Amino acid sequence: MNRTLELVDLITPTLLANTLRARQHPIAMRDWDLNLVGIRHSNRDSNTFNDALAVMWWANAHINLVVFRCTTDPGAYWRTHPMNPKGTAILVPGFYPGLWQLGLHRGRYEALVQRRDCWVYRDNDRDQELEERDAEFGVFGINLHRAADRGAGRSDDAPKSVDRWSAGCQVVPDTADYQVLMALCKCHARRHGNVFSYTLIEEEDLWTQ
């Protein structure tokens, strides 16, 4: 594979499924049961939306996949100005069953909001480099939400830098992508209830099966 392409361009259903199986992460295979998978880019300190959010599901025995640009890391502002005195939250890779439900992000707009505990690292040295330090387990408001609402604008209008858009949340920058994601989540909720699991893996997991 051409590793110079963006991460979102490299992910295929076969690659993703094989990676999840190799890491012994569950794969939902009921019709319209969404597999939400974040893939964290090997460049952790770029302050850009260089990660990927893969949404994979089966329908009528056919596998489907859409992949969106996102960030799984906190932005530059919150690395130096952590909300929590213990340090900036960085979601620990792993499988989190029933992590989210459809709700309102900060009471403002529809998003996937945290409903069950997860593991986060706390980076408290207030520099730009993300460091995986003390781990903490709990509910910290680690949501899946969008960045700025660009309405019906073009994808290239989406924010390029993470900055304040994530203090540990998983964030999709493009409004059109986000609208597709929410539509898929509503299809899932109608069939399987308002509960969503999440798997976060590292980019290197794709190449070391």
Side-chain angles (χ1 to χ4, degrees), residues 12-123:
T12 65
T14 299
L15 177 62
L16 184 61
N18 287 345
T19 301
L20 294 176
R21 291 189 183 104
R23 297 291 165 178
Q24 299 185 326
H25 294 313
I27 301 177
M29 297 186 67
R30 297 178 298 176
D31 276 10
W32 288 98
D33 193 351
L34 299 184
N35 294 277
L36 300 172
V37 183
I39 301 97
R40 179 172 278 158
H41 198 283
S42 57
N43 181 353
R44 299 291 306 283
D45 302 318
S46 68
N47 191 41
T48 62
F49 294 93
N50 62 345
D51 301 328
L53 174 67
V55 185
M56 183 172 66
W57 73 99
W58 274 258
N60 300 319
H62 178 71
I63 190 170
N64 302 271
L65 176 72
V66 290
V67 186
F68 307 119
R69 286 192 308 115
C70 76
T71 185
T72 66
D73 295 315
Y77 177 84
W78 298 113
R79 300 175 198 181
T80 55
H81 301 79
M83 283 186 175
N84 190 304
K86 295 179 182 179
T88 301
I90 305 168
L91 186 62
V92 177
F95 173 69
Y96 296 101
L99 177 65
W100 290 320
Q101 64 185 16
L102 284 165
L104 297 179
H105 178 63
R106 295 188 175 180
R108 292 168 46 220
Y109 61 86
E110 202 163 45
L112 293 183
V113 298
Q114 188 177 359
R115 60 181 290 276
R116 290 189 64 180
D117 294 343
C118 67
W119 284 100
V120 298
Y121 295 116
R122 290 293 182 184
D123 182 357

Side-chain angles (χ1 to χ4, degrees), residues 79 82 84-88 122-127 131 133-134:
R79 300 175 198 181
N84 190 304
K86 295 179 182 179
T88 301
R122 290 293 182 184
D123 182 357
N124 62 4
D125 62 2
R126 297 174 181 265
D127 64 12
E131 295 166 317
R133 298 190 172 183
D134 297 335

